[in-house]
Amino acid sequence: MMHHLLTYLRSLAPLSDESWQLLQPALKRKQVAKNELLLKEGAVCQSLYFIEKGYCRSYYLADGLEKNTGFFFENDIATNISSFGSGQPSEYFIAAGEPLEVIVFDKQRLLEAGKKAPEIETAGRCCIRLFASKQEAFSSLFQLYTAKERLAAIEERYPFMLQRVPLTQLASFLGVARETLSRIRSRRHL
Amino acid sequence: MMHHLLTYLRSLAPLSDESWQLLQPALKRKQVAKNELLLKEGAVCQSLYFIEKGYCRSYYLADGLEKNTGFFFENDIATNISSFGSGQPSEYFIAAGEPLEVIVFDKQRLLEAGKKAPEIETAGRCCIRLFASKQEAFSSLFQLYTAKERLAAIEERYPFMLQRVPLTQLASFLGVARETLSRIRSRRHL
DNA sequence: AAAATGGTGTGACAATTATCACAAAATGCC
DNA sequence: GGCATTTTGTGATAATTGTCACACCATTTT
């Protein structure tokens, strides 16, 4: 049960069996159907989602159009870190892109567990730090590279994204028109 | 002494006078001349920098050109969160854009202080969370907006950036050619 | 089987941007 | 002040991208 999560947490920081037990009340397994929402715009994010299977995406709704801003796959933590941290309402949605199996961390119970076991506090800090690192890495993709290079970087670093994410969603993530991405891709395959 | 930092930390989480005292050994004030480096590419980031005065910028060096990826002003924390967290060498530089007065958090001593006072651990977590939020906010700027809109968003949310950051640096931050940014700006002032 | 749906490829044209070249303005230095 | 260096503005042109329109394909629905 929840092996992947335990492995994930132990890869970040030491975690005794006792701490792991203390963490259990904060955890709950959940299944989410494709296209269902994990977080709605306007709602406060009360959870971290550790992804066991499937993927989800975060997106803004602007002028009726979805603009994807992030994708989260197996062994990632998905959340709105800003809303989760500050208690402010979320400005974007998080939805399942495939049938999803996640482990939900409840914020309140996580804080309580953190008070009982400093190791949990430390693990939480490491999760957030890793989340921040990924955010930073994605962010620099945009500042360092052109759309063409961004696609190449995605192909190299996150090849599974191209297999599993519809081109239309990927285009809005990369910040180019769907047609342009289609052309970039066909140019590359010559 | 260090009033701003104390105010900053207390805005994030409760911090007793005792914890604040325990934190002191991890802190050191430092002055940095304009264009001097806080972090070199290839070096491991061992510090957080709380900015009291001035600003600094992070940039990659690609093909001999500087590509700016972040700007940090008064009451910000500047660091390479990824290198700081993982101990891996930094892929980018951090340099003073103005004469800089910072308070340096030493990583080792910060960890030691965190062990003595859980409040410090919590404060550290909040700092990182805030850092992650800012990172995310900047990142979404690129995915949601065109270059023109990005400039408008910067003007609105971070007006001091336009006053203090040279246009050339801002252009590479926004991901457009210097000439284009100059034209966008002149079009806006009609 | 036909029709509807969602996702993708492609052509044509307009709009935007990058690039190169150079002028003008601002800044720092002696 | 005057000179050198850095920074910013502007024109011309090529390249890239967005937009609109529609075709194509696979899957699902009726």
Side-chain angles (χ1 to χ4, degrees), chain A residues 175-177 179-180 183 187:
Chain A
V176 295
E179 296 90 334
T180 304
R183 287 181 181 117
R187 263 182 260 156

Side-chain angles (χ1 to χ4, degrees), chain A residues 64-101:
Chain A
L65 292 177
E66 294 181 0
K67 298 230 182 180
N68 296 96
T69 53
F71 291 91
F72 307 90
F73 292 86
E74 283 86 359
N75 294 315
D76 275 342
I77 298 266
T79 190
N80 179 334
I81 189 67
S82 162
S83 171
F84 182 84
S86 69
Q88 293 294 108
S90 173
E91 296 182 344
Y92 55 81
F93 299 83
I94 301 182
E98 292 175 355
L100 205 57
E101 294 173 24

Side-chain angles (χ1 to χ4, degrees), chain B residues 147-148 175-180 183 187:
Chain B
K148 202 181 298 183
V176 295
R178 180 185 61 76
E179 296 91 334
T180 303
R183 288 181 180 116
R187 263 181 260 157

Side-chain angles (χ1 to χ4, degrees), chain B residues 39-122:
Chain B
L39 176 64
K40 288 182 191 172
E41 181 193 12
V44 174
C45 182
Q46 303 285 1
S47 315
L48 306 178
Y49 299 97
F50 176 80
I51 303 175
E52 292 200 293
K53 192 144 183 33
Y55 81 89
C56 57
R57 64 192 172 96
S58 56
Y59 63 95
Y60 285 75
L61 211 52
D63 309 322
L65 292 176
E66 294 180 1
K67 298 230 181 179
N68 296 95
T69 53
F71 291 91
F72 307 90
F73 292 85
E74 284 85 359
N75 294 315
D76 277 341
I77 298 268
T79 189
N80 179 337
I81 190 66
S82 163
S83 171
F84 182 83
S86 70
Q88 293 294 107
S90 172
E91 296 184 343
Y92 56 80
F93 299 83
I94 301 181
E98 291 176 356
L100 205 57
E101 295 173 25
V102 295
I103 295 174
V104 184
F105 289 67
D106 178 75
K107 182 176 177 178
Q108 276 318 113
R109 293 182 177 174
L110 183 57
L111 289 176
E112 286 163 22
K115 280 176 193 157
K116 290 182 200 155
E119 277 188 351
I120 293 179
E121 179 100 25
T122 303

Side-chain angles (χ1 to χ4, degrees), chain A residues 144-156:
Chain A
L144 295 177
Y145 304 123
T146 64
K148 203 180 300 182
E149 293 167 330
R150 285 202 288 275
L151 178 60
I154 297 274
E155 281 181 322
E156 190 182 326

Side-chain angles (χ1 to χ4, degrees), chain A residues 53-174:
Chain A
K53 190 143 183 36
Y55 81 89
C56 58
R57 65 193 172 94
S58 56
Y59 63 94
Y60 285 76
L61 211 53
D63 308 323
L65 292 177
E66 294 181 0
K67 298 230 182 180
N68 296 96
T69 53
F71 291 91
F72 307 90
F73 292 86
E74 283 86 359
N75 294 315
D76 275 342
I77 298 266
T79 190
N80 179 334
I81 189 67
S82 162
S83 171
F84 182 84
S86 69
Q88 293 294 108
S90 173
E91 296 182 344
Y92 55 81
F93 299 83
I94 301 182
E98 292 175 355
L100 205 57
E101 294 173 24
V102 295
I103 295 174
V104 184
F105 289 67
D106 178 75
K107 182 176 175 177
Q108 277 318 112
R109 293 183 177 173
L110 182 58
L111 290 175
E112 286 163 23
K115 279 177 194 155
K116 291 182 199 154
E119 278 187 349
I120 294 179
E121 178 100 26
T122 303
R125 193 160 40 82
C126 289
C127 283
I128 292 169
R129 201 164 54 196
L130 190 61
F131 190 88
S133 296
K134 286 198 180 170
Q135 218 48 57
E136 197 181 33
F138 266 126
S139 178
S140 66
L141 267 186
F142 284 85
Q143 290 158 321
L144 295 177
Y145 304 123
T146 64
K148 203 180 300 182
E149 293 167 330
R150 285 202 288 275
L151 178 60
I154 297 274
E155 281 181 322
E156 190 182 326
R157 298 193 223 170
Y158 315 96
F160 42 87
M161 272 184 73
L162 295 174
Q163 309 299 325
R164 295 165 69 181
V165 176
L167 177 140
T168 305
Q169 285 176 22
L170 197 62
S172 96
F173 175 71
L174 292 176

